[in-house]
């Protein structure tokens, strides 16, 4: 149902985007997200990485002014490559995915459910300055299968307008997704900090207040 494809460096992450609704008929969509990533690899210099993830997102079509509603994202299982271009991928770690709290809404809280293969420390969500960050330290070994948790975001609607859900990030210097990839090469192990942004940045759902 959902697929993830990776090109170039041996780094892989699944995307958990934002937001399922309890009020009004729900609108559901499977959206393909393309991340434009740059891995800052030692010696060889910056390398571009493309990450593509299909993500199922459900949200209410409408919500009453001031009404409470939920948005749920269920990310797909994925597998970290065991090697790329003859270099063994040891692990990926220090994962952080950001998404803005939608305009015309107020953040109430979020629940995480499920997820597997993410390391000994469970993922968490923290909110600061209108941005929610899903993070966990990992590591996830090369060749291992993992799944990010389902994210249920609880929101309260404003008085009017529309509520759009999407990811953060506009450039390598303003990333919406960051992680580190560790690979074994002929010169030894290297760690490549990687910064990504959705390009283009899709709107996952639109909820009308009224």
């Amino acid at each position: 149902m959902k697929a993830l494809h990776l090109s170039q460096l041996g780094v892989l992450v699944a995307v958990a985007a934002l937001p399922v609704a309890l009020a009004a008929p729900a609108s559901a969509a499977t959206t393909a997200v393309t991340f434009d990533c740059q891995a800052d690899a030692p010696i060889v210099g910056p390398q571009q990485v493309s990450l593509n993830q299909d993500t199922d997102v459900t949200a209410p079509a409408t919500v009453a002014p001031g009404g409470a509603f939920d948005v749920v994202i269920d990310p797909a299982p994925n597998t970290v490559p065991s090697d790329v271009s003859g270099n063994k991928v040891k692990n990926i770690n220090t994962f952080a995915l950001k998404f803005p709290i939608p305009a015309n809404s107020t953040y109430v809280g979020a629940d995480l459910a499920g997820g597997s293969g993410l390391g000994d420390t469970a993922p968490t969500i923290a909110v600061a300055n209108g941005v929610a960050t899903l993070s966990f330290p990992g590591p996830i070994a090369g060749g291992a299968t993992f799944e990010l948790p389902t994210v249920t975001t609880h929101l309260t609607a404003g008085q009017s307008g529309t509520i759009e859900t999407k990811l953060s990030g506009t450039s390598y210097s303003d990333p919406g997704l960051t992680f580190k990839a560790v690979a074994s090469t002929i010169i030894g192990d290297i760690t490549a900090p990687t910064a990504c942004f959705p390009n283009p940045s899709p709107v996952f759902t639109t909820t009308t207040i009224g």
Side-chain angles (χ1 to χ4, degrees):
M1 179 173 62
K2 293 172 259 186
L4 181 64
H5 310 287
L6 177 69
S7 64
Q8 290 187 309
L9 273 185
V11 286
L12 182 64
V13 287
V15 170
L18 180 67
V20 69
L22 301 177
S27 62
T30 298
T31 304
V33 180
T34 298
F35 278 95
D36 184 348
C37 303
Q38 182 172 277
D40 188 10
I43 301 177
V44 297
Q47 301 290 311
Q48 186 181 33
V49 180
S50 294
L51 301 174
N52 300 306
Q53 169 87 42
D54 289 349
T55 304
D56 291 334
V57 183
T58 309
T62 62
V63 63
F69 68 104
D70 292 349
V71 186
V72 174
I73 306 96
D74 182 13
N78 289 280
T79 302
V80 179
S82 57
D83 69 86
V84 172
S85 301
N87 298 317
K88 180 180 178 180
V89 178
K90 299 191 72 173
N91 67 69
I92 60 172
N93 63 80
T94 320
F95 174 97
L97 176 72
K98 297 180 179 181
F99 50 89
I101 303 306
N104 300 319
S105 73
T106 301
Y107 176 82
V108 177
D111 299 322
L112 303 179
S116 62
L118 304 177
D120 294 334
T121 303
T124 60
I125 281 189
V127 177
N129 300 318
V131 176
T133 301
L134 172 69
S135 63
F136 62 92
I140 307 172
T145 297
F146 67 97
E147 183 175 5
L148 292 175
T150 297
V151 181
T152 301
T153 304
H154 309 296
L155 301 171
T156 300
Q159 294 303 304
S160 63
T162 58
I163 301 168
E164 296 183 340
T165 60
K166 60 191 303 182
L167 292 168
S168 296
T170 59
S171 66
Y172 301 140
S173 60
D174 176 34
L177 170 66
T178 58
F179 55 92
K180 295 179 181 178
V182 181
S184 179
T185 73
I186 59 173
I187 61 173
D189 291 352
I190 63 171
T191 299
T194 304
C196 311
F197 65 99
N199 186 21
S201 183
V203 173
F204 295 109
T205 61
T206 301
T207 298
T208 300
I209 301 171

